[in-house]
Amino acid sequence: FERLKVRLHQVAHLSSETKDGRRIILRANLDLPEEIPFARDYGAEGIGLFRTEYLYVSRRELPYEELLFETYRRVVEDIAPHPVTIRTLDLGGDKFASVLDLPEEINPALGLRAIRLCLKEDHLFRTQLRAILRASAYGKVKIMFPLISGVAEFLRARNLVEEIKEELAREGLPFDPEVPVGAMIEVPSAVAVADLLAREADFFSIGTNDLIQYTLAIDRGNEEVAELYEPLHPAILRFIKTTVTAGHRAGIPVAMCGEMAGDLLYVPILVGLELDELSMNPQSLPEVKLFIRELEFKKCRELVEKVLNLTCQDEVKEAVSEVFGPHIRKFSRSLWFE
Amino acid sequence: FERLKVRLHQVAHLSSETKDGRRIILRANLDLPEEIPFARDYGAEGIGLFRTEYLYVSRRELPYEELLFETYRRVVEDIAPHPVTIRTLDLGGDKFASVLDLPEEINPALGLRAIRLCLKEDHLFRTQLRAILRASAYGKVKIMFPLISGVAEFLRARNLVEEIKEELAREGLPFDPEVPVGAMIEVPSAVAVADLLAREADFFSIGTNDLIQYTLAIDRGNEEVAELYEPLHPAILRFIKTTVTAGHRAGIPVAMCGEMAGDLLYVPILVGLELDELSMNPQSLPEVKLFIRELEFKKCRELVEKVLNLTCQDEVKEAVSEVFGPHIRKFSRSLWFE
Ligand SMILES: [Mg+2]
Ligand SMILES: [Mg+2]
């Protein structure tokens, strides 16, 4: 155990870049402030996805502003000098908050959830935005909206942030006036208009779980069709590429915070797709970093060129393991698995 | 009433083309063979979408091959010399067949439906394909698979058609060996790989209802989010354009058979998006044709160039009515509405 700790410490201080110098920022996905020390031990350069549902689903009543503020402030301070990307409330769909008394829906995944719910139940959203903005005075905060489907919706949410800033200014409460505001890219329509969205957003973060679900029209929780849920479907890889290209043309960074980001099999492709940042469960960070340090960016890009024109996930997997199989196998035998 | 019939007859014999000579084929969406005379009266140049669920949901037991064959043969013969595009079974999702005993799903729209169900319950599918192929000996039949998500899935279905052809040949039963086999484009992933699919399919038909639902992640049956279901969302228009471009580059025709095809407000955009064929409820055919005859293809294309870069449905609607408002209003005052 001590040996693991020493090794973790060593790895945490290595830079996450490929052999030929392409840097990929590695961050953690977290739900609770208590997890931060753990994320730091594992070498996270900040939190790429801080989920905010916990305080809404774990209690009998809606959280009040001070409780939210104190929670976010603690996160912001504990992760400093690194940044935290706070995702605004992503309730509905499969995550229910009994306090909200949401209607029953035939297809909840295609229903009133995430940013839609927040823009409709605007008092909820205002309280959360006030707490986030107030916490932004204590470190580096970014605000991220889930389930954005287009420019108009993003601007509605972004304008609300501006309104709250004015409100706080009037009340004399401190906040970061430059807080970046970004869009999660997880609805196919957001990919289709990524070039237009990139002009309005300060960053993108690709949420692969929902993006795959909607793009393939597959509920990943449904056993009957689970085998059709394919992260390496060429359509998914193309949508990621479209998003990255749109972001980079507009000069904004593009992150990925879905489960895909933490899987070794996918890492060479994600590096080749030129993602700037991968955010994942903290436990995956050390092995992903060590793996990235063995890769050549050039080879990853060549691999991507090739796989974008394949016809199914199996062919993509084969192409990946043809080039990177020995590396991936080496890692499955590494320290971390012994 | 007599006057209407005479007028219908006149319109039915007009060619559906724009002032500057761009021809758009107009076909009917039907569920029952009994509707064919009606479709002919309204000037349909064939059936662009023949739905085949009726015989599965209206009975206590699964339809047997002869019943299917006789039904399809009647359709094929009655619509001759025009073609009929038969969509293979599109059950599941919102359409339940009690005879099939399908599992309960949390998000049925993202579950086991349409081609997925057919490829899984392969005996069902084989029976239907045998009946369709046998009917193809009696006229012009095209086979269309619903909910195709990628190349591998399309090829599995297409290969099954080839297998059945061999089977029928061995049995000495007649069929059209050249029957075209196409893909419905209604899952976002199919749009993403439309260039690859176009190499394997003989035609595309865009199903707007599902395409909009999945692209925007909006269940159109859900009142809570119904206002977010936007056929003119720029993302939808871009996906249509991507599909048409991919089809035409590969030399295959691209049709549209969703509800969008029958709405006057959308017609100038659909013409400008260069769709080859629009299929709709028969009642909409005369007015859509008369409207098309008032349009200039050149102006429609200019409109499309413009709207693809707008940010929301409202802006798109405004742009359409700016150019075509007087025409649309003229038609709302026309014979058909008096
Ligand atoms: Mg999500
Ligand atoms: Mg459909």
Side-chain angles (χ1 to χ4, degrees), chain A residues 56-309:
Chain A
Y56 292 80
V57 296
S58 60
R59 296 156 42 84
R60 296 222 173 158
E61 49 200 25
L62 286 174
Y64 45 95
E65 182 178 325
E66 291 306 310
L67 174 63
L68 293 169
F69 166 59
E70 288 301 338
T71 307
Y72 302 154
R73 188 175 80 161
R74 183 169 158 203
V75 173
V76 171
E77 287 179 341
D78 287 1
I79 199 68
H82 296 304
V84 52
T85 301
I86 301 181
R87 180 179 70 187
T88 60
L89 203 51
D90 192 0
L91 283 181
D94 48 353
K95 296 161 235 154
F96 303 98
S98 50
V99 283
L100 283 180
D101 192 26
L102 295 174
E104 286 247 359
E105 297 176 307
I106 296 176
N107 290 290
L110 304 169
L112 188 63
R113 48 168 301 212
I115 194 69
R116 297 165 189 175
L117 180 64
C118 284
L119 289 172
K120 198 157 185 169
E121 304 288 333
D122 148 286
H123 60 282
L124 258 184
F125 198 28
R126 283 174 184 271
T127 305
Q128 186 181 34
L129 288 176
R130 281 183 61 95
I132 297 175
L133 280 166
R134 286 176 59 194
S136 74
Y138 299 84
K140 282 192 197 155
V141 170
K142 305 183 199 185
I143 300 177
M144 174 161 89
F145 303 128
L147 217 71
I148 287 293
S149 65
V151 175
E153 192 174 51
F154 181 77
L155 289 179
R156 271 186 72 194
R158 175 150 211 163
N159 289 339
L160 210 53
V161 172
E162 291 308 315
E163 254 185 58
I164 307 279
K165 279 188 194 171
E166 284 166 29
E167 202 175 280
L168 294 176
R170 277 197 303 275
E171 297 170 29
L173 290 167
F175 61 90
D176 173 6
E178 306 285 310
V179 60
V181 179
M184 280 195 74
I185 304 295
E186 52 183 346
V187 177
S189 60
V191 176
V193 298
D195 55 331
L196 306 176
L197 261 177
R199 293 184 205 154
E200 309 295 343
D202 298 319
F203 63 91
F204 282 161
S205 188
I206 301 173
T208 51
N209 302 358
D210 275 322
L211 182 62
I212 298 167
Q213 159 163 284
Y214 296 130
T215 299
L216 299 175
I218 292 290
D219 179 353
R220 68 200 168 113
N222 182 339
E223 277 181 31
E224 298 286 335
V225 290
E227 60 169 346
L228 298 171
Y229 183 89
E230 302 186 355
L232 293 182
H233 192 296
I236 304 299
L237 304 180
R238 286 174 170 205
F239 275 177
I240 296 171
K241 184 166 174 74
T242 303
T243 305
V244 173
T245 304
H248 288 176
R249 282 208 183 128
I252 64 170
V254 182
M256 173 176 287
C257 64
E259 276 166 32
M260 206 175 163
D263 190 318
L264 283 192
L265 177 63
Y266 306 146
V267 168
I269 289 186
L270 300 181
V271 169
L273 283 166
E274 304 188 32
L275 285 151
D276 301 295
E277 174 187 330
L278 302 177
S279 195
M280 64 196 75
N281 291 329
Q283 302 94 305
S284 305
L285 286 166
E287 72 184 29
V288 168
K289 187 194 280 184
L290 289 172
F291 189 36
I292 285 175
R293 291 172 58 88
E294 297 245 333
L295 297 174
E296 280 175 64
F297 180 48
K298 196 172 148 280
K299 270 198 192 166
C300 295
R301 284 215 293 197
E302 284 165 14
L303 174 69
V304 163
E305 279 314 309
K306 188 177 164 191
V307 298
L308 288 178
N309 285 307

Side-chain angles (χ1 to χ4, degrees), chain B residues 291-303:
Chain B
F291 189 35
I292 286 175
R293 290 171 58 86
E294 298 245 332
L295 296 175
E296 280 175 63
F297 180 48
K298 197 174 146 279
K299 271 200 192 164
C300 295
R301 283 216 293 197
E302 283 165 14
L303 175 69

